[in-house]
Amino acid sequence: MSNSGYRIAEISKKLEVDRKTVRKYLSQEDFSPTPPVKQPAPSKLDPYKPKILEWLAEDQHVWQKQQHTAKRILDRLRQEEGFDGSYSTV
């Protein structure tokens, strides 16, 4: 509308917005700002994932009551691998 010759006051009346808003958008060049990209932090569990997947694969061949739970995985990681993370991490 500004390029067509309308003044800021006329634009604000037609669009029913404040004049400050019209000025704000007239001063902008790019209306699609890119959101910041957050880099995922590595998990403390990443080095142990192959071992955990191996244990879970072995669990496919045993009775359900003998399969690993998160608590049992945490205990084994602490005993066998020296893991110092928490239960919620596992």
Side-chain angles (χ1 to χ4, degrees):
M1 293 175 80
S2 177
N3 290 341
S4 299
Y6 287 95
R7 294 181 305 187
I8 292 174
E10 294 170 335
I11 296 171
S12 68
K13 283 181 185 176
K14 282 194 177 223
L15 298 178
E16 297 179 355
V17 294
D18 192 64
R19 287 175 291 158
K20 293 177 192 174
T21 305
V22 175
R23 280 193 196 101
K24 173 183 155 184
Y25 285 102
L26 285 175
S27 67
Q28 284 186 349
E29 293 179 15
D30 184 19
F31 293 97
S32 58
T34 56
V37 178
K38 185 176 179 181
Q39 297 294 331
S43 171
K44 284 181 103 176
L45 201 59
D46 284 344
Y48 306 101
K49 284 183 180 177
K51 190 68 171 174
I52 294 170
L53 291 175
E54 180 183 319
W55 292 337
L56 294 176
E58 291 171 2
D59 282 351
Q60 298 287 326
H61 306 291
V62 296
W63 188 48
Q64 183 178 3
K65 289 281 187 174
Q66 295 175 342
Q67 294 180 356
H68 283 83
T69 61
K71 175 70 174 142
R72 179 66 182 130
I73 289 173
L74 176 64
D75 292 341
R76 279 190 75 177
L77 284 174
R78 285 183 175 165
Q79 290 172 359
E80 299 174 15
E81 306 291 328
F83 181 67
D84 63 344
S86 66
Y87 176 80
S88 61
T89 305
V90 175

Short mmCIF file of all heavy atoms in Angstrom, two decimals, residues 17 21-22 25 35 37-38 41 52 54 58 60 68 74-75 87 90:
data_model
loop_
_atom_site.label_atom_id
_atom_site.label_comp_id
_atom_site.label_asym_id
_atom_site.label_seq_id
_atom_site.Cartn_x
_atom_site.Cartn_y
_atom_site.Cartn_z
N VAL A 17 -4.86 -0.97 12.29
CA VAL A 17 -3.72 -1.22 13.16
C VAL A 17 -3.10 0.12 13.53
O VAL A 17 -3.37 1.14 12.90
CB VAL A 17 -2.65 -2.12 12.49
CG1 VAL A 17 -3.19 -3.52 12.25
CG2 VAL A 17 -2.16 -1.53 11.20
N THR A 21 2.84 0.24 14.24
CA THR A 21 2.92 -1.10 13.63
C THR A 21 3.19 -0.98 12.14
O THR A 21 4.00 -1.72 11.58
CB THR A 21 1.62 -1.88 13.88
OG1 THR A 21 1.38 -1.93 15.29
CG2 THR A 21 1.71 -3.29 13.34
N VAL A 22 2.52 -0.06 11.49
CA VAL A 22 2.73 0.15 10.05
C VAL A 22 4.18 0.56 9.80
O VAL A 22 4.85 0.04 8.92
CB VAL A 22 1.75 1.21 9.50
CG1 VAL A 22 2.06 1.52 8.04
CG2 VAL A 22 0.32 0.73 9.65
N TYR A 25 6.63 -2.43 10.17
CA TYR A 25 6.66 -3.36 9.04
C TYR A 25 7.18 -2.71 7.77
O TYR A 25 7.72 -3.39 6.91
CB TYR A 25 5.30 -4.02 8.84
CG TYR A 25 5.04 -5.07 9.90
CD1 TYR A 25 4.21 -4.81 10.97
CD2 TYR A 25 5.67 -6.30 9.84
CE1 TYR A 25 3.98 -5.76 11.95
CE2 TYR A 25 5.47 -7.26 10.81
CZ TYR A 25 4.63 -6.99 11.86
OH TYR A 25 4.44 -7.93 12.83
N PRO A 35 14.55 -19.06 13.00
CA PRO A 35 14.71 -19.35 14.42
C PRO A 35 16.12 -19.91 14.68
O PRO A 35 16.71 -20.55 13.81
CB PRO A 35 13.64 -20.39 14.72
CG PRO A 35 13.36 -21.03 13.41
CD PRO A 35 13.61 -19.97 12.37
N VAL A 37 19.00 -22.35 15.67
CA VAL A 37 19.11 -23.80 15.62
C VAL A 37 19.90 -24.26 16.83
O VAL A 37 21.05 -23.86 17.02
CB VAL A 37 19.80 -24.26 14.32
CG1 VAL A 37 19.96 -25.76 14.30
CG2 VAL A 37 19.02 -23.77 13.11
N LYS A 38 19.28 -25.08 17.65
CA LYS A 38 19.92 -25.58 18.86
C LYS A 38 20.65 -26.87 18.53
O LYS A 38 20.06 -27.81 17.98
CB LYS A 38 18.88 -25.81 19.95
CG LYS A 38 19.47 -26.19 21.26
CD LYS A 38 18.40 -26.32 22.33
CE LYS A 38 19.03 -26.72 23.65
NZ LYS A 38 18.02 -26.88 24.69
N ALA A 41 23.03 -31.73 22.51
CA ALA A 41 24.19 -32.08 23.33
C ALA A 41 24.33 -33.59 23.38
O ALA A 41 23.34 -34.32 23.42
CB ALA A 41 23.99 -31.52 24.73
N ILE A 52 24.27 -51.66 25.64
CA ILE A 52 22.87 -51.79 26.07
C ILE A 52 22.05 -52.50 24.99
O ILE A 52 21.25 -53.39 25.28
CB ILE A 52 22.27 -50.41 26.39
CG1 ILE A 52 22.97 -49.80 27.61
CG2 ILE A 52 20.77 -50.51 26.65
CD1 ILE A 52 22.62 -48.35 27.86
N GLU A 54 23.13 -54.58 22.84
CA GLU A 54 23.55 -55.98 22.85
C GLU A 54 22.80 -56.75 23.94
O GLU A 54 22.29 -57.84 23.70
CB GLU A 54 25.06 -56.04 23.08
CG GLU A 54 25.63 -57.44 23.12
CD GLU A 54 27.11 -57.41 23.44
OE1 GLU A 54 27.82 -56.53 22.91
OE2 GLU A 54 27.55 -58.26 24.23
N GLU A 58 20.03 -59.82 23.44
CA GLU A 58 20.09 -61.11 24.13
C GLU A 58 18.79 -61.40 24.87
O GLU A 58 18.39 -62.55 25.01
CB GLU A 58 21.26 -61.11 25.12
CG GLU A 58 22.61 -61.10 24.47
CD GLU A 58 23.75 -60.88 25.46
OE1 GLU A 58 23.47 -60.77 26.68
OE2 GLU A 58 24.90 -60.80 25.02
N GLN A 60 15.90 -60.97 23.88
CA GLN A 60 14.88 -61.46 22.96
C GLN A 60 14.71 -62.97 23.09
O GLN A 60 13.67 -63.51 22.73
CB GLN A 60 15.26 -61.11 21.51
CG GLN A 60 15.34 -59.63 21.24
CD GLN A 60 13.98 -58.97 21.19
OE1 GLN A 60 13.01 -59.57 20.75
NE2 GLN A 60 13.92 -57.73 21.66
N HIS A 68 15.99 -57.45 30.88
CA HIS A 68 16.53 -56.28 31.58
C HIS A 68 15.48 -55.19 31.75
O HIS A 68 14.73 -54.89 30.83
CB HIS A 68 17.70 -55.69 30.80
CG HIS A 68 18.96 -56.47 30.94
ND1 HIS A 68 19.23 -57.57 30.18
CD2 HIS A 68 20.03 -56.29 31.77
CE1 HIS A 68 20.41 -58.05 30.51
NE2 HIS A 68 20.93 -57.29 31.48
N LEU A 74 20.97 -50.03 34.54
CA LEU A 74 21.76 -49.06 35.30
C LEU A 74 22.75 -49.77 36.23
O LEU A 74 23.93 -49.41 36.28
CB LEU A 74 20.84 -48.14 36.10
CG LEU A 74 21.53 -47.13 37.03
CD1 LEU A 74 22.37 -46.15 36.21
CD2 LEU A 74 20.51 -46.39 37.86
N ASP A 75 22.28 -50.78 36.93
CA ASP A 75 23.16 -51.52 37.83
C ASP A 75 24.32 -52.17 37.08
O ASP A 75 25.48 -52.10 37.52
CB ASP A 75 22.37 -52.59 38.59
CG ASP A 75 21.38 -51.99 39.58
OD1 ASP A 75 21.55 -50.80 39.94
OD2 ASP A 75 20.43 -52.71 39.98
N TYR A 87 19.56 -42.78 37.00
CA TYR A 87 18.49 -43.65 36.50
C TYR A 87 17.71 -42.98 35.38
O TYR A 87 17.38 -43.61 34.39
CB TYR A 87 17.56 -43.99 37.66
CG TYR A 87 16.35 -44.81 37.26
CD1 TYR A 87 16.46 -46.18 37.06
CD2 TYR A 87 15.12 -44.22 37.08
CE1 TYR A 87 15.37 -46.96 36.70
CE2 TYR A 87 14.03 -44.96 36.70
CZ TYR A 87 14.15 -46.32 36.51
OH TYR A 87 13.07 -47.07 36.14
N VAL A 90 19.26 -43.32 31.96
CA VAL A 90 19.08 -44.64 31.35
C VAL A 90 17.66 -44.76 30.87
O VAL A 90 17.38 -45.23 29.81
CB VAL A 90 19.40 -45.76 32.35
CG1 VAL A 90 19.09 -47.13 31.76
CG2 VAL A 90 20.86 -45.70 32.76
#
